[in-house]
Amino acid sequence: MLERDLIQSVGFRNVVSDGEATGYRFRVRIPSYRGMSASLIDGISVAVDGAEPVPAHVPTWTLGGRTYTLEQLWASEGVRWPLEEAAVVTVPCPGGLAPGTHELAVEIRLRMSYIPLEHQPTVVRSAKRLTLSPETSGDGRFRYGVSLYSHMHDYGTVLDLDAALASIADVGATGVEILGEGHVPGYPEPSAEWIDAWFAGIERHGLEPTNYGSWIDTRLRPGRSMTVEEGAVLLGRDLRLAARLGFGFVRPKIGVVSSDLVPDPIWEGVVERCLETAQDLGIVICPEIHAPTPIRHRVVEDYVAFIERTGTEHFGLLIDTGIFQDRPIPLREGETRESRPAFLDGIATDPADLALVAEHVVFVQAKFHDIDEDLTDRNIPWEPVLRALADIGYSGYLSSAYEGDRSPWRSIEQVRRHHALLRRLESEL
């Protein structure tokens, strides 16, 4: 599935040969209502950050998996630019482009046979700010992933599973996090065909399943609370489905009984009954520490006490980085400070508090809301957060979870900015 804009966010990368960047590439969809023969292309000029444009005859074109110069396109037979396929444009540029955001402007020239010669070539201009992620070597301090929650509202409307996985792989991430009831068709019994497609996509894009989001809806029945037995059935069911899909972590979203997210008292019995299943399946159950619950809280103390009492290695803590938010999220239309939860202004947990639970942190959901064109997060202080994680020896996944404006396709560019920011900060630690 293609993004609506002519210039696509996914696919903007440096071209590297023998360890050296020799240029950059990006994807463009055809600026027409139909596909056409590639010999009708009269070139594309490209300008980055207001610099002198690269002449239209210089970039090469990749269509159908084969790369052509402009002259080769003119001489080609049977090569087409289909409506549903983005062309890959490669621009020579010794040293490539620096990681970060860039303003990319293009001028595409096409020969339209049904338009009078005096109005030819047809010229289509477009510009877009794109984020170039740093090249990754795989030997960094942290591992990087993305939660499909980042693409809520896009998923199933303008993004299908394969397009979402492709966008994750394109930023150099290796992990994918899902929500069971949000991303598994036919939940809790997906078809064998869908499971095959899931694993095929994971393999095709070089990804691994990381964390599976589950729910224990303790208010399932009106007028009464859920029993431990009922809760254990739900969690056990999701543990088994997560294992079928290759996940190593399961985050149970347990019903709460207070505004500071104290979980329903059945949580302990539910989890304890499922520990043997988790052990058999090789899964770690990890409830999230989520605003407005800070690290210094009895919820966290109770989780740690449970680990110490049972001695289990299959229960740990998932840190949602929203707890470190120290600046308010902008008000939405019709919203006032008084009409929305106070924690949206940020609870500003001190990242140094991670040291209190260092040995129990098994996964980090890297929640964020908005990153600007200068790669500055407007709400979360990432440098002290990453430094604190490094200080406690955490080397697991940072799984981007975008929770900002849900305009179509915006999440793709925001995730790209997030990964560029995190990797830059990691390199500076």
Side-chain angles (χ1 to χ4, degrees):
M1 300 178 75
L2 300 177
E3 302 160 46
R4 183 179 179 87
D5 292 339
L6 185 72
I7 304 171
Q8 309 283 289
S9 289
V10 174
F12 182 42
R13 302 186 67 84
N14 277 328
V15 177
V16 178
S17 177
D18 297 326
E20 296 292 330
T22 58
Y24 59 90
R25 67 174 185 259
F26 60 94
R27 296 163 65 240
V28 289
R29 64 175 181 81
I30 193 168
S32 179
Y33 59 91
R34 67 171 185 124
M36 62 179 62
S37 172
S39 63
L40 293 169
I41 297 172
D42 264 352
I44 180 171
S45 65
V46 184
V48 176
D49 298 329
E52 187 70 21
V54 174
H57 68 276
V58 172
T60 60
W61 294 75
T62 302
L63 291 163
R66 294 187 60 184
T67 300
Y68 306 85
T69 64
L70 186 59
E71 287 189 353
Q72 287 171 336
L73 285 182
W74 290 343
S76 66
E77 294 284 347
V79 181
R80 300 193 61 79
W81 188 0
L83 190 66
E84 70 278 6
E85 179 185 333
V88 178
V89 176
T90 302
V91 182
C93 177
L97 300 176
T101 60
H102 295 277
E103 182 75 19
L104 192 70
V106 302
E107 185 178 279
I108 302 175
R109 301 172 187 178
L110 303 171
R111 265 176 286 114
M112 300 294 196
S113 303
Y114 50 87
I115 295 177
L117 284 172
E118 61 266 28
H119 299 297
Q120 288 299 293
T122 294
V123 177
V124 180
R125 298 176 179 87
S126 184
K128 185 175 181 180
R129 184 161 286 277
L130 300 177
T131 302
L132 187 77
S133 295
E135 296 299 320
T136 56
S137 61
D139 57 359
R141 186 186 306 268
F142 306 116
R143 305 180 74 187
Y144 290 90
V146 178
S147 171
L148 290 189
Y149 171 75
S150 298
H151 305 304
M152 186 177 69
H153 296 184
D154 280 350
Y155 194 84
T157 56
V158 298
L159 272 181
D160 60 14
L161 176 62
D162 193 67
L165 295 180
S167 74
I168 293 171
D170 195 61
V171 296
T174 57
V176 57
E177 180 183 358
I178 72 168
L179 308 177
E181 289 189 81
H183 302 110
V184 180
Y187 172 90
E189 294 294 339
S191 67
E193 291 77 15
W194 185 85
I195 293 177
D196 288 344
W198 162 255
F199 281 112
I202 290 293
E203 182 177 359
R204 181 165 55 252
H205 298 293
L207 300 173
E208 71 168 334
T210 57
N211 181 48
Y212 172 103
S214 169
W215 281 262
I216 301 175
D217 288 318
T218 51
R219 303 189 193 106
L220 190 62
R221 305 298 177 196
R224 74 171 179 86
S225 296
M226 180 175 284
T227 66
V228 169
E229 291 76 12
E230 291 170 328
V233 168
L234 295 182
L235 180 55
R237 180 183 68 186
D238 274 348
L239 288 172
R240 287 184 286 273
L241 178 54
R244 287 178 67 195
L245 299 179
F247 288 91
F249 299 97
V250 167
R251 179 235 62 190
K253 194 85 166 176
I254 303 165
V256 300
V257 295
S258 69
S259 60
D260 54 348
L261 307 188
V262 173
D264 189 295
I266 71 167
W267 79 263
E268 190 165 1
V270 168
V271 172
E272 190 154 11
R273 290 187 181 214
C274 291
L275 283 181
E276 184 176 347
T277 299
Q279 180 176 341
D280 291 343
L281 298 173
I283 285 177
V284 178
I285 301 168
C286 48
E288 63 185 352
I289 311 307
H290 187 292
T293 307
I295 291 173
R296 295 177 183 268
H297 193 279
R298 78 176 181 93
V299 169
V300 179
E301 293 171 356
D302 288 347
Y303 288 155
V304 171
F306 176 80
I307 296 170
E308 293 173 346
R309 178 178 66 80
T310 61
T312 183
E313 297 179 355
H314 294 275
F315 185 85
L317 304 179
L318 182 155
I319 300 295
D320 183 296
T321 57
I323 66 174
F324 304 115
Q325 179 192 330
D326 59 2
R327 284 148 288 165
I329 298 168
L331 295 172
R332 293 174 178 164
E333 186 177 355
E335 207 174 40
T336 65
R337 289 274 185 269
E338 295 71 30
S339 68
R340 73 177 191 178
F343 74 84
L344 293 179
D345 287 340
I347 66 171
T349 295
D350 185 349
D353 285 352
L354 284 165
L356 302 174
V357 292
E359 61 185 305
H360 305 302
V361 176
V362 298
F363 197 84
V364 174
Q365 198 167 69
K367 176 76 62 63
F368 72 105
H369 299 87
D370 189 76
I371 296 174
D372 66 19
E373 294 178 356
D374 297 320
L375 298 187
T376 299
D377 192 300
R378 299 178 186 273
N379 309 104
I380 294 173
W382 285 105
E383 194 279 336
V385 171
L386 295 191
R387 188 168 297 280
L389 286 168
D391 287 346
I392 68 171
Y394 181 77
S395 59
Y397 270 102
L398 303 176
S399 185
S400 295
Y402 173 61
E403 201 173 66
D405 176 26
R406 297 297 184 179
S407 300
W409 291 283
R410 188 175 194 269
S411 61
I412 291 177
E413 187 60 32
Q414 281 289 304
V415 167
R416 295 179 71 85
R417 292 182 184 184
H418 192 223
H419 279 246
L421 169 61
L422 294 184
R423 287 195 174 94
R424 187 193 75 201
L425 291 174
E426 180 189 359
S427 71
E428 296 170 355
L429 286 179

